[in-house]
Amino acid sequence: MTSISGYKLIASPCCRTTYARAQFASVNFSASAFWTDGLRENSLMPNDGGLRKCQCGTFFVLSECTQMGLEATKPFNFPSYVSPSDLPLAFQTAHSQEVELAARRAYWLFLNDPYREEYKAHREAEQAAHEANWAAKWHANNPDKRGALMKFFDALLLRKPPSLPPAPIEPITFPPFEPTDVQKANMLRLIELVQLSSPKYRQEYPVELVELYRELSMFDQAKQLIDGMSEANQDKLTKLLYELCEEEQAAPVRYKY
């Protein structure tokens, strides 16, 4: 589980305002759902990359703050989280590449949220229809031929008739994913920023770049990145992304971690 061992004082990089920052004794990235674009639903850790807003109106990331080396004492003063409506302003006025990257990542996830709701509704309806069809087919092929007397004795002896087995797994489908011009422009800029980041990050495990290319329907570029990874760095997620590219599926997808 995620636990906090205390709070330290930090100073914002803009106006040197003093804030408290939690010190984690342990972290847990468990979530109720994981998505290929990096979103973790109901996560025990935030998805915001440390993006915050200072009282002076400047946006920054926590890694840019000066560590003062002092324990924070109550009452704590924390920098503000950034609302979705403020994200465009955050990357338009960013004073550093780190701030723009964090803001555009958060904006990417936020712009995908309407599709997530459509995706969930589609999957729930598809699963319900599949289970209903399976139940009807199974009962048609396995009718209850017991007479009234046999049913009486079975009930008396607590014997249950054969139960419906779980529905077989079938390929799933996704609703159409059509990114807007705003989404496309944001993803293209994100690609530029990620390519400027740490070579180790973008070369050894470039899943974020793979997903950006895939959501832009640039499937060949996405597959080339995975093909260039060492076998040791390939995992369940990279395999899923490659399969989605092979199917030319651009939608953000929910998956089991």
Side-chain angles (χ1 to χ4, degrees):
M1 61 179 292
T2 298
S3 60
I4 296 173
S5 60
Y7 298 86
K8 295 283 189 179
L9 290 179
I10 57 174
S12 65
C14 41
C15 62
R16 316 306 292 171
T17 297
T18 301
Y19 295 109
R21 181 180 183 181
Q23 302 295 302
F24 294 102
S26 62
V27 294
N28 187 328
F29 291 96
S30 298
S32 60
F34 296 86
W35 292 80
T36 51
D37 62 4
L39 181 81
R40 302 185 304 274
E41 290 187 22
N42 302 310
S43 175
L44 297 174
M45 291 294 290
N47 288 270
D48 56 25
L51 182 66
R52 299 291 184 272
K53 186 177 183 179
C54 185
Q55 66 178 22
C56 71
T58 302
F59 300 93
F60 63 89
V61 291
L62 292 172
S63 60
E64 295 179 316
C65 292
T66 300
Q67 308 296 318
M68 301 179 67
L70 299 172
E71 296 287 337
T73 56
K74 293 183 179 180
F76 297 145
N77 184 28
F78 295 103
S80 300
Y81 287 92
V82 180
S83 66
S85 61
D86 271 346
L87 289 172
L89 180 62
F91 58 70
Q92 289 163 7
T93 63
H95 64 264
S96 67
Q97 179 182 315
E98 289 74 19
V99 171
E100 184 182 359
L101 186 57
R104 287 191 178 276
R105 276 177 175 148
Y107 198 47
W108 175 30
L109 303 186
F110 169 69
L111 292 176
N112 278 345
D113 282 346
Y115 179 80
R116 283 183 235 284
E117 297 308 311
E118 185 180 354
Y119 177 102
K120 291 175 187 177
H122 175 90
R123 289 291 306 116
E124 288 172 5
E126 184 174 61
Q127 185 63 26
H130 172 52
E131 291 179 357
N133 290 337
W134 164 246
K137 181 179 179 181
W138 187 86
H139 285 300
N141 293 329
N142 299 274
D144 189 350
K145 298 180 180 179
R146 296 174 302 159
L149 184 61
M150 181 60 69
K151 289 181 180 179
F152 172 77
F153 281 117
D154 283 347
L156 191 66
L157 297 173
L158 302 179
R159 291 189 305 223
K160 296 181 179 180
S163 59
L164 176 71
I169 297 175
E170 288 191 350
I172 65 174
T173 64
F174 311 115
F177 177 66
E178 304 259 346
T180 65
D181 289 342
V182 172
Q183 286 176 286
K184 291 176 182 177
N186 187 61
M187 287 191 283
L188 288 169
R189 177 57 180 159
L190 259 178
I191 288 173
E192 294 177 1
L193 291 168
V194 172
Q195 288 174 332
L196 292 172
S197 63
S198 166
K200 183 176 182 179
Y201 169 79
R202 69 174 189 268
Q203 292 173 7
E204 291 190 6
Y205 194 67
V207 290
E208 186 175 34
L209 274 176
V210 171
E211 179 67 3
L212 287 165
Y213 281 131
R214 189 179 69 82
E215 289 189 23
L216 288 164
S217 297
M218 301 167 70
F219 303 113
D220 288 340
Q221 291 92 324
K223 288 192 292 184
Q224 286 172 7
L225 285 173
I226 296 177
D227 287 334
M229 294 172 61
S230 68
E231 187 173 340
N233 285 330
Q234 297 190 29
D235 56 16
K236 182 189 295 186
L237 177 55
T238 57
K239 181 180 179 182
L240 170 61
L241 293 177
Y242 201 92
E243 290 174 351
L244 291 169
C245 287
E246 291 276 83
E247 297 167 4
E248 297 193 348
Q249 175 57 256
V253 170
R254 187 173 56 185
Y255 71 99
K256 291 183 178 180
Y257 185 71

